[in-house]
Amino acid sequence: DHDTVTRTFTLALERLGERAGQIVRMAACLAPDAIPEGILAAGNEPDLEFRDAVANAARCSLIRRNATTRTIDIHRLVQDVVRDTMDAESMRHWIGRVADSLSRSFPEEVEFKTWSICDRLLPHARVVAAEALRRSIESADVARLLDQAGWYLSDRAEYREAEPLLKRALEIRERALGPDHLDTAKSLNNLGGNYDSQGQYKEAEPLLKRALEIREKALGPEHPDTATSLSNLAGIYHCLGQYKEAEPLFKRALEIREKALGPEHPDTATSLNNLAAIYSSQGQYKEAEPLLKRALE
């Protein structure tokens, strides 16, 4: 509805060099504030060419750089104008590029010490995920981003927001990579974990079983990731009071971790604690005590 403003920003966009134009188009597909430079640099460390391109776009008032935080802001109106210059196929292309860069910026493992990184990326992941879902984009990069964002949200107890992202990531991976791919197992594990955290054990169990089967077949019965799946499935049985089903799985997980990671590894301590909890739940305190002592040590 503002033709003059639209023409002004469109002319500015047309005058940009190729690299500066790419940066502005990527920024238009993200949340408008505090975009980490690494995302716009396609997951690479920003170099001199990137800095020059950012300065070029900033001179045209299309973006603003915060040197202290090394982030980029783009006005919402500029985003609207830039998006309006792109047809549906171009939007799919740029959403795909941003999803790839953003997913590579997420840490490999979501855990408490990486929360601060994930928190900076989450507003942008929400925007890209919404667009990818709306446009039915099914690339491996989009699946990876949906899985990572969903995993982080689940870790922060945002289960309802996490569930559709994790479900969609699983659907894409099953179609694109196949039902026996390790990334499919990762999605099964994360979705199952989301249900587990909410006490929805019947929904979690078949997903965690499938993840275990894939990992045993692809990685072997002695791999630490197989131990993780054993432990996750055993945890479901423990919560359901199915101690006879849980105990051998916890024992196998402990044996694998002691052998693969060593007797002093924190994951070994976790397995000792899990197995002790099974004994404790059944009143077998003599069996639990030495395990808990070792875990503590």
Side-chain angles (χ1 to χ4, degrees), residues 91-130:
M91 275 298 298
R92 288 175 64 87
H93 168 76
W94 288 106
I95 290 292
R97 282 193 60 171
V98 168
D100 172 42
S101 181
L102 188 52
S103 69
R104 285 191 281 129
S105 298
F106 265 88
E108 282 295 317
E109 296 290 325
V110 174
E111 49 192 346
F112 179 70
K113 66 183 180 182
T114 63
W115 275 12
S116 60
I117 299 170
C118 296
D119 206 45
R120 292 181 68 205
L121 300 174
L122 183 60
H124 308 291
R126 280 182 167 129
V127 170
V128 176

Short mmCIF file of all heavy atoms in Angstrom, two decimals, residues 91-130:
data_model
loop_
_atom_site.label_atom_id
_atom_site.label_comp_id
_atom_site.label_asym_id
_atom_site.label_seq_id
_atom_site.Cartn_x
_atom_site.Cartn_y
_atom_site.Cartn_z
N MET A 91 11.45 -18.02 -3.36
CA MET A 91 11.28 -18.10 -1.91
C MET A 91 11.67 -19.48 -1.41
O MET A 91 12.35 -19.61 -0.38
CB MET A 91 9.83 -17.79 -1.53
CG MET A 91 9.53 -16.31 -1.38
SD MET A 91 10.51 -15.51 -0.05
CE MET A 91 9.93 -16.41 1.39
N ARG A 92 11.27 -20.51 -2.11
CA ARG A 92 11.64 -21.88 -1.71
C ARG A 92 13.16 -22.05 -1.73
O ARG A 92 13.74 -22.68 -0.84
CB ARG A 92 10.98 -22.90 -2.64
CG ARG A 92 9.48 -23.05 -2.44
CD ARG A 92 8.88 -24.00 -3.48
NE ARG A 92 9.39 -25.35 -3.32
CZ ARG A 92 8.87 -26.26 -2.51
NH1 ARG A 92 7.82 -25.96 -1.78
NH2 ARG A 92 9.39 -27.47 -2.43
N HIS A 93 13.80 -21.45 -2.75
CA HIS A 93 15.26 -21.54 -2.85
C HIS A 93 15.93 -20.87 -1.65
O HIS A 93 16.83 -21.46 -1.03
CB HIS A 93 15.73 -20.86 -4.14
CG HIS A 93 17.21 -20.63 -4.21
ND1 HIS A 93 18.11 -21.64 -4.45
CD2 HIS A 93 17.95 -19.48 -4.02
CE1 HIS A 93 19.34 -21.14 -4.43
NE2 HIS A 93 19.27 -19.85 -4.17
N TRP A 94 15.48 -19.65 -1.32
CA TRP A 94 16.14 -18.93 -0.23
C TRP A 94 15.81 -19.51 1.14
O TRP A 94 16.66 -19.51 2.04
CB TRP A 94 15.81 -17.44 -0.32
CG TRP A 94 16.51 -16.79 -1.47
CD1 TRP A 94 15.97 -16.39 -2.66
CD2 TRP A 94 17.91 -16.53 -1.57
NE1 TRP A 94 16.94 -15.88 -3.49
CE2 TRP A 94 18.14 -15.96 -2.85
CE3 TRP A 94 19.00 -16.72 -0.73
CZ2 TRP A 94 19.41 -15.58 -3.29
CZ3 TRP A 94 20.27 -16.34 -1.15
CH2 TRP A 94 20.46 -15.78 -2.42
N ILE A 95 14.60 -20.01 1.31
CA ILE A 95 14.27 -20.70 2.56
C ILE A 95 15.16 -21.92 2.73
O ILE A 95 15.67 -22.20 3.82
CB ILE A 95 12.77 -21.12 2.58
CG1 ILE A 95 11.87 -19.90 2.70
CG2 ILE A 95 12.50 -22.09 3.72
CD1 ILE A 95 11.96 -19.17 4.03
N GLY A 96 15.38 -22.64 1.63
CA GLY A 96 16.27 -23.80 1.68
C GLY A 96 17.69 -23.44 2.04
O GLY A 96 18.35 -24.12 2.85
N ARG A 97 18.20 -22.35 1.46
CA ARG A 97 19.56 -21.91 1.76
C ARG A 97 19.71 -21.49 3.22
O ARG A 97 20.69 -21.81 3.89
CB ARG A 97 19.97 -20.76 0.84
CG ARG A 97 20.36 -21.20 -0.56
CD ARG A 97 21.06 -20.11 -1.33
NE ARG A 97 22.29 -19.64 -0.72
CZ ARG A 97 23.14 -18.82 -1.31
NH1 ARG A 97 22.89 -18.39 -2.54
NH2 ARG A 97 24.24 -18.41 -0.71
N VAL A 98 18.72 -20.77 3.70
CA VAL A 98 18.75 -20.31 5.09
C VAL A 98 18.64 -21.50 6.04
O VAL A 98 19.32 -21.54 7.07
CB VAL A 98 17.63 -19.28 5.35
CG1 VAL A 98 17.45 -19.03 6.82
CG2 VAL A 98 17.93 -17.97 4.63
N ALA A 99 17.79 -22.46 5.70
CA ALA A 99 17.63 -23.65 6.55
C ALA A 99 18.95 -24.41 6.67
O ALA A 99 19.34 -24.86 7.76
CB ALA A 99 16.55 -24.57 5.99
N ASP A 100 19.66 -24.53 5.54
CA ASP A 100 20.96 -25.20 5.55
C ASP A 100 21.95 -24.47 6.45
O ASP A 100 22.59 -25.07 7.32
CB ASP A 100 21.50 -25.28 4.11
CG ASP A 100 22.93 -25.80 4.06
OD1 ASP A 100 23.22 -26.76 4.78
OD2 ASP A 100 23.74 -25.24 3.31
N SER A 101 22.07 -23.17 6.27
CA SER A 101 23.01 -22.39 7.07
C SER A 101 22.64 -22.39 8.55
O SER A 101 23.50 -22.54 9.42
CB SER A 101 23.06 -20.95 6.53
OG SER A 101 23.98 -20.18 7.26
N LEU A 102 21.37 -22.24 8.83
CA LEU A 102 20.90 -22.18 10.21
C LEU A 102 21.10 -23.52 10.92
O LEU A 102 21.53 -23.56 12.08
CB LEU A 102 19.43 -21.78 10.22
CG LEU A 102 18.74 -21.48 11.55
CD1 LEU A 102 19.53 -20.46 12.36
CD2 LEU A 102 17.33 -20.96 11.29
N SER A 103 20.82 -24.61 10.22
CA SER A 103 20.97 -25.93 10.84
C SER A 103 22.43 -26.23 11.16
O SER A 103 22.74 -26.88 12.16
CB SER A 103 20.40 -27.02 9.94
OG SER A 103 21.17 -27.20 8.78
N ARG A 104 23.35 -25.73 10.31
CA ARG A 104 24.78 -25.94 10.58
C ARG A 104 25.29 -25.05 11.71
O ARG A 104 26.36 -25.30 12.25
CB ARG A 104 25.58 -25.71 9.30
CG ARG A 104 25.44 -26.85 8.32
CD ARG A 104 26.41 -26.78 7.17
NE ARG A 104 26.00 -25.84 6.15
CZ ARG A 104 26.78 -24.88 5.66
NH1 ARG A 104 28.00 -24.72 6.13
NH2 ARG A 104 26.34 -24.07 4.73
N SER A 105 24.51 -24.02 12.05
CA SER A 105 24.90 -23.17 13.17
C SER A 105 24.48 -23.76 14.51
O SER A 105 25.04 -23.41 15.55
CB SER A 105 24.25 -21.78 13.01
OG SER A 105 24.70 -21.14 11.84
N PHE A 106 23.49 -24.65 14.49
CA PHE A 106 23.07 -25.32 15.72
C PHE A 106 24.17 -26.28 16.17
O PHE A 106 24.84 -26.89 15.36
CB PHE A 106 21.78 -26.12 15.49
CG PHE A 106 20.52 -25.38 15.85
CD1 PHE A 106 19.88 -24.59 14.92
CD2 PHE A 106 19.98 -25.49 17.13
CE1 PHE A 106 18.71 -23.91 15.24
CE2 PHE A 106 18.82 -24.81 17.46
CZ PHE A 106 18.18 -24.02 16.52
N PRO A 107 24.34 -26.45 17.50
CA PRO A 107 25.30 -27.43 17.99
C PRO A 107 24.87 -28.85 17.64
O PRO A 107 23.67 -29.12 17.49
CB PRO A 107 25.31 -27.21 19.51
CG PRO A 107 24.03 -26.51 19.80
CD PRO A 107 23.68 -25.71 18.59
N GLU A 108 25.84 -29.75 17.52
CA GLU A 108 25.53 -31.14 17.20
C GLU A 108 24.66 -31.78 18.27
O GLU A 108 23.75 -32.55 17.97
CB GLU A 108 26.83 -31.95 17.04
CG GLU A 108 27.54 -31.75 15.72
CD GLU A 108 26.75 -32.26 14.53
OE1 GLU A 108 26.18 -33.37 14.62
OE2 GLU A 108 26.67 -31.54 13.52
N GLU A 109 24.95 -31.48 19.53
CA GLU A 109 24.20 -32.04 20.65
C GLU A 109 23.51 -30.91 21.41
O GLU A 109 24.15 -29.92 21.76
CB GLU A 109 25.12 -32.80 21.61
CG GLU A 109 25.79 -34.01 20.99
CD GLU A 109 24.81 -35.13 20.71
OE1 GLU A 109 23.86 -35.31 21.49
OE2 GLU A 109 24.98 -35.84 19.70
N VAL A 110 22.21 -31.08 21.66
CA VAL A 110 21.48 -30.11 22.47
C VAL A 110 21.58 -30.55 23.93
O VAL A 110 21.08 -31.61 24.30
CB VAL A 110 20.00 -30.01 22.04
CG1 VAL A 110 19.23 -29.11 22.98
CG2 VAL A 110 19.90 -29.49 20.61
N GLU A 111 22.27 -29.77 24.72
CA GLU A 111 22.41 -30.03 26.15
C GLU A 111 22.54 -28.69 26.86
O GLU A 111 22.65 -27.65 26.21
CB GLU A 111 23.62 -30.92 26.42
CG GLU A 111 24.89 -30.46 25.74
CD GLU A 111 26.00 -31.50 25.79
OE1 GLU A 111 25.88 -32.45 26.57
OE2 GLU A 111 26.98 -31.34 25.05
N PHE A 112 22.49 -28.72 28.18
CA PHE A 112 22.41 -27.47 28.93
C PHE A 112 23.51 -26.48 28.54
O PHE A 112 23.26 -25.29 28.40
CB PHE A 112 22.46 -27.75 30.44
CG PHE A 112 22.41 -26.49 31.26
CD1 PHE A 112 21.25 -25.73 31.33
CD2 PHE A 112 23.54 -26.03 31.93
CE1 PHE A 112 21.21 -24.56 32.07
CE2 PHE A 112 23.50 -24.87 32.67
CZ PHE A 112 22.33 -24.13 32.75
N LYS A 113 24.73 -26.96 28.34
CA LYS A 113 25.84 -26.05 28.05
C LYS A 113 25.73 -25.40 26.67
O LYS A 113 26.42 -24.42 26.39
CB LYS A 113 27.18 -26.77 28.19
CG LYS A 113 27.43 -27.87 27.19
CD LYS A 113 28.77 -28.55 27.49
CE LYS A 113 29.06 -29.67 26.50
NZ LYS A 113 30.33 -30.35 26.82
N THR A 114 24.86 -25.93 25.79
CA THR A 114 24.67 -25.32 24.47
C THR A 114 23.36 -24.54 24.37
O THR A 114 23.02 -24.04 23.30
CB THR A 114 24.71 -26.39 23.36
OG1 THR A 114 23.61 -27.30 23.53
CG2 THR A 114 26.01 -27.16 23.38
N TRP A 115 22.62 -24.45 25.47
CA TRP A 115 21.34 -23.74 25.45
C TRP A 115 21.48 -22.29 24.98
O TRP A 115 20.63 -21.79 24.25
CB TRP A 115 20.71 -23.76 26.84
CG TRP A 115 19.91 -24.99 27.13
CD1 TRP A 115 19.88 -26.16 26.40
CD2 TRP A 115 19.02 -25.20 28.23
NE1 TRP A 115 19.04 -27.07 26.99
CE2 TRP A 115 18.49 -26.51 28.11
CE3 TRP A 115 18.64 -24.41 29.31
CZ2 TRP A 115 17.59 -27.04 29.03
CZ3 TRP A 115 17.73 -24.94 30.23
CH2 TRP A 115 17.22 -26.24 30.08
N SER A 116 22.53 -21.61 25.43
CA SER A 116 22.67 -20.18 25.09
C SER A 116 22.81 -20.00 23.57
O SER A 116 22.28 -19.04 23.00
CB SER A 116 23.86 -19.56 25.82
OG SER A 116 25.06 -20.23 25.48
N ILE A 117 23.52 -20.93 22.91
CA ILE A 117 23.66 -20.87 21.45
C ILE A 117 22.30 -21.12 20.80
O ILE A 117 21.88 -20.38 19.91
CB ILE A 117 24.68 -21.92 20.96
CG1 ILE A 117 26.06 -21.65 21.57
CG2 ILE A 117 24.76 -21.93 19.44
CD1 ILE A 117 27.06 -22.77 21.32
N CYS A 118 21.63 -22.16 21.25
CA CYS A 118 20.32 -22.51 20.68
C CYS A 118 19.32 -21.37 20.87
O CYS A 118 18.49 -21.11 19.99
CB CYS A 118 19.80 -23.78 21.32
SG CYS A 118 20.79 -25.26 21.00
N ASP A 119 19.41 -20.71 22.02
CA ASP A 119 18.45 -19.64 22.33
C ASP A 119 18.59 -18.47 21.35
O ASP A 119 17.59 -17.85 20.97
CB ASP A 119 18.67 -19.15 23.76
CG ASP A 119 17.41 -18.55 24.36
OD1 ASP A 119 16.35 -19.14 24.20
OD2 ASP A 119 17.51 -17.47 24.96
N ARG A 120 19.82 -18.17 20.93
CA ARG A 120 20.05 -17.11 19.95
C ARG A 120 19.48 -17.47 18.58
O ARG A 120 19.03 -16.62 17.83
CB ARG A 120 21.55 -16.83 19.80
CG ARG A 120 22.23 -16.21 20.99
CD ARG A 120 23.70 -15.98 20.69
NE ARG A 120 23.89 -14.95 19.69
CZ ARG A 120 24.96 -14.86 18.90
NH1 ARG A 120 25.91 -15.76 18.96
NH2 ARG A 120 25.05 -13.87 18.03
N LEU A 121 19.51 -18.77 18.27
CA LEU A 121 19.09 -19.23 16.95
C LEU A 121 17.59 -19.52 16.87
O LEU A 121 17.01 -19.54 15.78
CB LEU A 121 19.86 -20.51 16.58
CG LEU A 121 21.39 -20.38 16.51
CD1 LEU A 121 22.02 -21.75 16.29
CD2 LEU A 121 21.80 -19.41 15.41
N LEU A 122 16.95 -19.74 18.03
CA LEU A 122 15.56 -20.19 18.04
C LEU A 122 14.59 -19.24 17.33
O LEU A 122 13.74 -19.72 16.56
CB LEU A 122 15.11 -20.44 19.48
CG LEU A 122 13.69 -20.99 19.62
CD1 LEU A 122 13.54 -22.34 18.91
CD2 LEU A 122 13.31 -21.14 21.10
N PRO A 123 14.64 -17.90 17.54
CA PRO A 123 13.68 -17.04 16.83
C PRO A 123 13.76 -17.19 15.31
O PRO A 123 12.73 -17.16 14.62
CB PRO A 123 14.09 -15.62 17.26
CG PRO A 123 14.82 -15.81 18.54
CD PRO A 123 15.53 -17.12 18.42
N HIS A 124 14.96 -17.39 14.81
CA HIS A 124 15.15 -17.55 13.36
C HIS A 124 14.68 -18.94 12.91
O HIS A 124 14.09 -19.08 11.84
CB HIS A 124 16.61 -17.31 13.01
CG HIS A 124 17.13 -16.02 13.56
ND1 HIS A 124 16.69 -14.80 13.09
CD2 HIS A 124 17.99 -15.74 14.58
CE1 HIS A 124 17.28 -13.83 13.79
NE2 HIS A 124 18.06 -14.39 14.68
N ALA A 125 14.95 -19.95 13.73
CA ALA A 125 14.48 -21.30 13.41
C ALA A 125 12.96 -21.35 13.36
O ALA A 125 12.38 -22.03 12.50
CB ALA A 125 15.01 -22.30 14.44
N ARG A 126 12.31 -20.61 14.26
CA ARG A 126 10.83 -20.60 14.26
C ARG A 126 10.29 -20.03 12.95
O ARG A 126 9.34 -20.57 12.37
CB ARG A 126 10.33 -19.75 15.44
CG ARG A 126 10.34 -20.46 16.78
CD ARG A 126 9.78 -19.56 17.86
NE ARG A 126 9.49 -20.29 19.08
CZ ARG A 126 9.90 -19.94 20.29
NH1 ARG A 126 10.65 -18.87 20.45
NH2 ARG A 126 9.57 -20.66 21.35
N VAL A 127 10.89 -18.94 12.47
CA VAL A 127 10.43 -18.31 11.24
C VAL A 127 10.65 -19.24 10.05
O VAL A 127 9.75 -19.45 9.22
CB VAL A 127 11.16 -16.96 11.02
CG1 VAL A 127 10.87 -16.41 9.63
CG2 VAL A 127 10.76 -15.95 12.08
N VAL A 128 11.85 -19.80 9.95
CA VAL A 128 12.18 -20.67 8.81
C VAL A 128 11.33 -21.94 8.86
O VAL A 128 10.83 -22.42 7.82
CB VAL A 128 13.68 -21.00 8.80
CG1 VAL A 128 14.01 -21.99 7.67
CG2 VAL A 128 14.51 -19.73 8.63
N ALA A 129 11.15 -22.50 10.05
CA ALA A 129 10.34 -23.72 10.19
C ALA A 129 8.91 -23.46 9.74
O ALA A 129 8.31 -24.29 9.02
CB ALA A 129 10.37 -24.20 11.63
N ALA A 130 8.35 -22.33 10.14
CA ALA A 130 6.97 -22.01 9.76
C ALA A 130 6.83 -21.89 8.24
O ALA A 130 5.87 -22.39 7.65
CB ALA A 130 6.53 -20.71 10.44
#
